[in-house]
């Protein structure tokens, strides 16, 4: 729960702009430093900070003497396992797969004791990681554990109205929408029709939690906070609507699509759209009247654009593709990566920073064939590489996770804020350049 609380803290209003963190090695372009070699440097550092647990391995979110290992997808061991699976997919090196398996073996010991259900904060993330490990290794132990995760999620689900929930939280990070996305992936990968049915029950619960709004409907992160809303992907309407759109694709139930369209209608009605952009404000009500727009996966176009793309696919209505284009325009016109802003501060991770933006623009290029989008992804990647710390310990990134805590600089291990996720992006771009499709696709992406 420390991570969940930290996430909420980072949403506090207030403009803080910090200079870019200086790299300890000279800036280098992607062409000067091959991407796969960079990923191997990440692997060296991650191996060096691993915590032995018998024959298994685990990772703390932020390595430090006495730091405990973390079992959530946001900041700890699961993201490291996924990175090593992807690295083995790129290299074929048995040592990379062995490291992934050792990490997954520690995750096996957490399945029956994990008390949180969330995608990025609990059981759902464990289930996803173990499923991906089974798919890569064919070791039935991981599949059996992933099935236990689904069984536990069924047991933990609480009836609520016409559906179910696991907590009052509705969002992607730790709430109903994210858990539902995992259940949809489990229904496909594990052949669990009951997982899809449980996801549908979660969707019915979310429909009843809509709040009427100008242009459509919106969702609060929890019923206890109806006057302070975070409308973008990680904690708000965009993420909930995205799950409902995916649920429509899985079930054919029009009610889920209608609710998703209502959420998208509210977003575009309230967004900043001058200059042919779509920038949805960070939170409601706006902070002291200031324009505060984030750019990454969590609270910016790199996340909310996923909803627009999913709706374009679901409806065949090109209007939603236009909103995807405008979301991309909002990032490109911001001045990043050369100029930081309150929505793009000292962070290069998959949640808030450069890796999420670069990843989004590669997907955008693959959808649109926009050569400028690919060039932009490479430019952001050059900034990521220039920010790296490289030494005998390996490669990692030190940055600020929270905009309102700019002096709290750490080098993390995990997927959303750490080296595993940044290394995962480098492997994806390397795979694109070499014609190698990614091994792992997260439950919250429509970009297949």
């Amino acid at each position: 729960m420390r991570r969940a609380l930290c996430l909420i803290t980072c949403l506090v209003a207030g403009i803080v702009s910090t200079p870019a963190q200086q790299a300890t090695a000279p800036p280098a372009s992607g062409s000067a430093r091959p991407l796969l070699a960079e990923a191997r440097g990440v692997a060296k550092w991650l191996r060096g900070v691993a915590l032995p647990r018998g024959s298994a391995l685990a990772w703390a979110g932020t390595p430090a003497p006495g730091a405990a290992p973390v079992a959530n997808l946001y900041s700890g061991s699961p993201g490291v396992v996924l990175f090593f699976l992807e690295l083995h997919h790129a290299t074929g090196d048995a040592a990379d797969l062995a490291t992934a398996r050792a990490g997954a073996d520690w995750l096996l010991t957490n399945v029956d004791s994990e008390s949180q259900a969330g995608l990025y904060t609990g059981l759902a993330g464990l289930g996803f990681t173990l499923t991906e490990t089974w798919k890569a290794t064919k070791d039935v132990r991981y599949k059996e554990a992933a099935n236990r995760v689904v069984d536990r999620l069924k047991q933990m689900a609480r009836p609520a109205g016409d559906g179910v929930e696991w907590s009052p939280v509705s969002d992607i990070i730790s709430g109903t929408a994210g858990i539902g996305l995992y259940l949809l992936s489990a229904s496909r990968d594990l052949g669990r029709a009951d997982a899809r049915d449980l996801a549908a029950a979660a969707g019915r619960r979310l429909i009843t939690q809509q709040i009427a709004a100008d242009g459509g409907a919106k969702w609060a992160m929890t019923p206890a906070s109806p006057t302070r809303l975070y409308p973008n992907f990680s904690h708000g309407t965009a993420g909930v609507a995205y799950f409902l759109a995916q649920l429509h694709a899985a079930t054919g139930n029009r009610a889920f699509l209608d609710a998703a369209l209502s959420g998208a209608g509210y977003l575009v009605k309230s967004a900043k759209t001058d200059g042919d952009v779509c920038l949805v404000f960070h939170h409601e009500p706006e902070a002291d009247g200031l324009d505060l727009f984030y750019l990454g996966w969590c609270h910016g176009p790199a996340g909310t654009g996923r909803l627009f793309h999913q709706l374009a696919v679901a409806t065949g209505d090109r209007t939603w593709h236009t909103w995807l284009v405008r979301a991309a325009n909002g990032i490109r016109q911001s001045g990043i990566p050369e100029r930081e802003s309150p929505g793009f501060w000292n962070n290069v991770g998959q949640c808030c920073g450069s890796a999420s933006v670069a990843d989004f623009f590669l997907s955008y290029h693959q959808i649109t064939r926009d050569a400028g989008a690919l060039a932009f992804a490479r430019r952001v990647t050059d900034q990521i590489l220039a920010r790296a710390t490289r030494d005998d310990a390996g490669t990692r990134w030190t940055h600020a996770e929270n905009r309102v805590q700019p002096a709290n600089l750490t080098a993390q291990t995990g997927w959303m804020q750490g080296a595993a996720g940044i290394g995962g992006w480098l492997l994806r771009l390397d795979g694109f350049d070499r014609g190698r499709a990614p091994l792992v696709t997260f439950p919250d992406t429509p970009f297949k």
Side-chain angles (χ1 to χ4, degrees):
M1 284 304 294
R2 184 194 70 80
R3 177 63 52 201
L5 292 173
C6 187
L7 283 171
I8 294 171
T9 300
C10 83
L11 303 178
V12 176
I15 303 296
V16 179
S17 183
T18 62
Q21 176 75 10
Q22 294 299 311
T24 59
S29 69
S31 60
R33 291 185 179 275
L35 298 168
L36 189 54
E38 296 286 356
R40 289 184 186 277
V42 171
K44 181 179 181 181
W45 183 69
L46 289 171
R47 286 190 172 104
V49 298
L51 302 173
R53 292 295 185 266
S55 61
L57 292 175
W59 284 265
T62 302
V70 175
N72 71 62
L73 183 55
Y74 190 91
S75 61
S77 301
V80 178
V81 170
L82 294 174
F83 165 76
F84 276 103
L85 289 177
E86 200 68 61
L87 183 61
H88 173 258
H89 180 56
T91 65
D93 189 334
D96 297 329
L97 187 59
T99 302
R101 291 180 67 118
D105 286 347
W106 182 71
L107 298 181
L108 290 174
T109 68
N110 288 269
V111 169
D112 296 320
S113 59
E114 175 59 58
S115 61
Q116 303 298 314
L119 176 58
Y120 283 96
T121 60
L123 266 174
L126 283 179
F128 170 67
T129 305
L130 291 168
T131 300
E132 293 301 310
T133 308
W134 163 65
K135 288 160 62 177
T137 65
K138 307 306 179 188
D139 187 330
V140 71
R141 294 180 303 141
Y142 304 123
K143 183 180 183 182
E144 290 172 347
N147 274 304
R148 287 208 313 277
V149 167
V150 175
D151 293 339
R152 285 207 64 209
L153 288 172
K154 290 176 66 176
Q155 294 165 3
M156 294 167 67
R158 304 191 303 233
D162 188 34
V164 299
E165 64 184 16
W166 290 264
S167 76
V169 180
S170 64
D171 69 10
I172 292 281
I173 290 282
S174 61
T176 303
I179 298 164
L181 285 171
Y182 165 66
L183 290 168
L184 289 179
S185 73
S187 72
R188 296 186 297 267
D189 293 335
L190 302 175
R192 297 283 301 257
D194 57 338
R196 185 193 60 216
D197 293 343
L198 188 59
R204 292 194 300 271
R205 172 57 174 164
L206 288 170
I207 287 177
T208 67
Q209 293 178 306
Q210 294 177 87
I211 302 169
D214 190 17
K218 58 188 177 182
W219 281 263
M221 189 169 75
T222 71
S225 59
T227 60
R228 188 172 179 83
L229 284 78
Y230 305 101
N232 285 285
F233 198 73
S234 64
H235 288 305
T237 297
V240 172
Y242 173 78
F243 164 58
L244 293 171
Q246 288 279 20
L247 195 51
H248 166 260
T251 66
N253 187 329
R254 177 73 197 197
F256 295 132
L257 181 59
D258 289 342
L261 289 166
S262 292
Y266 154 71
L267 292 170
V268 301
K269 179 72 172 180
S270 59
K272 178 181 178 181
T273 57
D274 52 305
D276 199 30
V277 306
C278 179
L279 290 170
V280 179
F281 51 89
H282 176 264
H283 65 264
E284 176 190 335
E286 294 183 19
D288 302 320
L290 297 172
D291 286 339
L292 183 57
F293 301 101
Y294 279 28
L295 302 177
W297 174 91
C298 54
H299 296 286
T304 297
R306 297 175 179 220
L307 170 62
F308 298 147
H309 177 64
Q310 182 64 32
L311 289 178
V313 172
T315 65
D317 184 347
R318 292 285 296 178
T319 302
W320 295 113
H321 179 76
T322 300
W323 284 110
L324 174 66
V325 172
R326 297 182 81 172
N329 289 346
I331 298 175
R332 284 202 269 205
Q333 294 180 25
S334 69
I336 69 163
E338 293 79 15
R339 181 180 68 83
E340 290 184 355
S341 72
F344 196 80
W345 66 102
N346 182 17
N347 188 289
V348 294
Q350 284 277 5
C351 182
C352 315
S354 305
S356 70
V357 169
D359 186 77
F360 170 74
F361 271 91
L362 177 55
S363 296
Y364 182 79
H365 164 73
Q366 291 176 311
I367 294 164
T368 65
R369 302 304 175 190
D370 179 345
L374 179 59
F376 187 77
R378 294 191 190 282
R379 199 166 90 230
V380 174
T381 302
D382 286 347
Q383 181 248 11
I384 294 172
L385 295 176
R387 292 282 308 278
T389 295
R390 303 178 187 86
D391 56 25
D392 290 343
T395 302
R396 67 274 192 195
W397 286 262
T398 299
H399 62 189
E401 177 174 346
N402 300 326
R403 176 182 55 81
V404 296
Q405 297 177 329
N408 185 11
L409 303 173
T410 59
Q412 298 190 40
T413 62
W415 192 266
M416 295 304 277
Q417 294 287 354
I422 299 167
W425 158 245
L426 300 179
L427 288 171
R428 184 184 173 206
L429 184 57
D430 175 75
F432 173 81
D433 289 340
R434 299 172 187 260
R436 182 185 71 246
L439 179 72
V440 177
T441 300
F442 274 59
D444 56 50
T445 180
F447 307 124
K448 309 301 184 187

